[in-house]
Structures are given as structure tokens and as C-alpha cells.
Amino acid sequence: MRYHIDTIPVWDAMKLDGECLMCALERKTELGEAERYLGASVMEPDVRVKVNDRGFCRKHHAMLFSMSNRLGHALMLESHMIEIRQKMDRINDKLEKSAKQLVNAGLGDKLNGKAKAATQEILNQAQAVNEMADSCLMCESIAENMGRYLHTFFHLYQHDTDFRTKFKNSKGLCLPHLGQMLEVAAQELNAKDLGEFVQTVTKLNRENYDRIQEDISWFIKKFDYRYENESWKNSKDAVERTVNKARGWCVGKEPIDTER
Ligand SMILES: [Zn+2]
Ligand SMILES: [Zn+2]
């Protein structure tokens, strides 16, 4: 499959010089998606069909809820709930049928005969409920976009020397994105480029994880009266940056330029 390569967002994220450029891209995509689902596009039939079917996870419902567009959220929920109830009707029918078989089996053994089949059917329906409870249209489209950005990253890494140099001098990557990057690099780069990329990231890992460690240790020292009058150095936001480095951006200052 040929991708349309849009290098601008990846370059923009690189220029921000944050703790992880992929975190910046992910957050930008997430905010864009949230606006999309509360905005006019949720009324477009194809978007509506997808929202009704997939819904959103806890984190993303909380995010939509915090955006103070209660009517937009309600409109989306109304038709999503219709679809949930249709699916639940089918599930309830099957559950009730199994329940009846089990009740009629009396003290029957759950491991044998009709009772066994009915118990299995309950597990099947539990799985169907779990699938409904786990699906999130936003998580899915973020993952899809991030796949494209990873591909674009390696396109730039291979063809744009400035980009490669800039990455070499960056603050590196958070753990989740480091794992993803190594996987994609192993698939997409030739032997020489892969070797060089891995040398670059291991160097970045060592230097930047050391830096974060120093910052968090200095932050703790600052609570000791003996260090009271010393400067905070670079440690004021060490807690946030350590969390974000270890698990991907989730706390503190936005990883993107929100002014633009
Ligand atoms: Zn990251
Ligand atoms: Zn989600």
C-alpha cells in the first residue's frame, strides 16, 4: 500500500524538542479527534455510524466530557445508546435462554450435557459484552494515525539528513514509543540504517534517562532544608517529565504548542 507521506507534522513535532516527539504527535492527534467528535462532523452519516458502533473508552469519554459541549456529547450518546440496546437485546435473549436451561437442569452438573453448553454460551456472551465495553473509535483512529507517523518518521530518517541530525540531538523517546519505534525500524530500515538508528537511540536513552534521573533526585533534595537555598536547576517539573518518559505523555504541560 502506498502512503501519502505528510512530513510536516513529524517535522513540527521534532522542532518542539520535547521529551518524545511521538508523544507530541499522539497528543496532537488526540486533541484533533476529540474536537472532531464533538464538532459538526459527528453529524455526518459515516462518522455517526462509526461512533454508534465503536463508542469511546473511559479516558476518551472523560476527555470529551471535560470539553464542555454537553449537547454535542448528548447527541452522540443518544444514538450510540440505541445501538448498544439493540446489541444488548440480542445478548440478553441468548443469556436468558441459557439461564432457563440452567435453572431447568436443577442441580445438574455444569460440566455435562445441556448445562455445559449453556455455561459456554454465557461465556461467549460475556466476550461479546467485553468487546462492546472495550472498543474506542478515538483509540483506534489514534493508533491508525500513529502507524502512519511512524512510517513517515522512518521515511524522513532515511531521506532527510537534517532530520536525522536533529533526531540525534533530540531528547530521545518515552518507553512505549521507543518499543514501537524499534519494532518498525527493524521492519523498514536496511541493515546499515537499522544499525545506525539503534546506535543513535541507545545513546539517546542512556544520556536522557540519566538526565531525568538527576532531575528527579535533585527535586527530592530540594525538600531537604540543607538544599533550601540552592537553585531548583531543571527539576521543577521532574515528576511530570519522569512519568511521561516512563509511560508516555499523560501529565503536566502539554507536549505540543497549544498557542498555534
Ligand atoms: Zn512518547
Ligand atoms: Zn480511547
Side-chain angles (χ1 to χ4, degrees):
M1 181 178 160
R2 250 196 95 72
Y3 288 90
H4 167 68
I5 307 265
D6 185 8
T7 57
I8 296 169
V10 181
W11 249 122
D12 283 349
M14 179 69 97
K15 285 177 190 161
L16 290 169
D17 199 27
E19 292 293 346
C20 173
L21 89 153
M22 297 317 274
C23 280
L25 281 165
E26 191 166 326
R27 181 60 175 161
K28 190 170 171 248
T29 310
E30 186 175 47
L31 289 172
E33 288 287 306
E35 267 170 37
R36 193 160 100 93
Y37 294 121
L38 283 184
S41 77
V42 80
M43 302 308 284
E44 290 166 14
D46 59 325
V47 180
R48 191 115 200 176
V49 166
K50 279 194 210 161
V51 171
N52 290 345
D53 178 46
R54 311 303 293 150
F56 300 105
C57 67
R58 279 185 207 191
K59 175 186 162 196
H60 287 131
H61 263 306
M63 188 174 168
L64 294 171
F65 191 76
S66 74
M67 291 174 84
S68 301
N69 179 349
R70 216 60 95 233
L71 177 60
H73 206 164
L75 286 167
M76 175 224 297
L77 285 169
E78 187 189 32
S79 52
H80 179 44
M81 209 54 206
I82 292 172
E83 187 143 340
I84 288 182
R85 284 171 51 244
Q86 282 168 353
K87 288 177 183 164
M88 279 310 299
D89 274 345
R90 291 193 288 273
I91 292 172
N92 284 331
D93 285 347
K94 289 178 184 160
L95 284 173
E96 277 162 358
K97 201 174 148 203
S98 302
K100 204 169 164 190
Q101 285 169 344
L102 285 165
V103 171
N104 289 340
L107 295 171
D109 181 351
K110 252 182 17 181
L111 297 172
N112 288 303
K114 276 193 170 171
K116 187 183 174 189
T119 307
Q120 183 54 49
E121 182 60 18
I122 289 170
L123 291 172
N124 294 345
Q125 296 315 308
Q127 198 182 337
V129 173
N130 286 338
E131 273 164 27
M132 275 167 68
D134 285 341
S135 64
C136 175
L137 186 55
M138 262 170 84
C139 283
E140 287 162 18
S141 44
I142 291 166
E144 198 183 309
N145 276 289
M146 290 310 287
R148 249 197 304 272
Y149 286 139
L150 278 167
H151 183 82
T152 309
F153 175 93
F154 286 109
H155 174 86
L156 282 167
Y157 187 83
Q158 286 168 292
H159 299 109
D160 185 337
T161 339
D162 287 349
F163 186 83
R164 198 184 274 227
T165 311
K166 189 101 179 137
F167 181 64
K168 268 188 183 161
N169 296 310
S170 74
K171 297 194 179 81
L173 302 160
C174 69
L175 278 186
H177 287 129
L178 171 65
Q180 288 175 18
M181 280 248 186
L182 287 169
E183 277 175 6
V184 179
Q187 288 159 11
E188 295 202 0
L189 298 180
N190 65 35
K192 188 171 175 290
D193 280 345
L194 176 60
E196 207 202 293
F197 175 76
V198 171
Q199 284 173 339
T200 300
V201 284
T202 48
K203 186 169 179 282
L204 286 173
N205 291 344
R206 291 187 203 284
E207 289 171 2
N208 288 284
Y209 287 67
D210 285 355
R211 171 178 57 83
I212 295 272
Q213 179 81 64
E214 274 172 37
D215 290 347
I216 196 84
S217 298
W218 187 252
F219 180 91
I220 294 166
K221 276 212 174 83
K222 279 292 291 165
F223 286 81
D224 181 331
Y225 72 95
R226 285 171 297 173
Y227 295 90
E228 220 171 38
N229 298 322
E230 303 256 2
S231 133
W232 277 89
K233 297 189 193 171
N234 216 5
S235 76
K236 271 202 169 143
D237 59 349
V239 172
E240 297 93 299
R241 284 187 294 108
T242 308
V243 170
N244 296 339
K245 204 63 164 180
R247 290 294 155 124
W249 182 85
C250 58
V251 286
K253 192 174 153 271
E254 288 282 345
I256 55 170
D257 197 350
T258 44
E259 302 299 305
R260 293 172 64 194

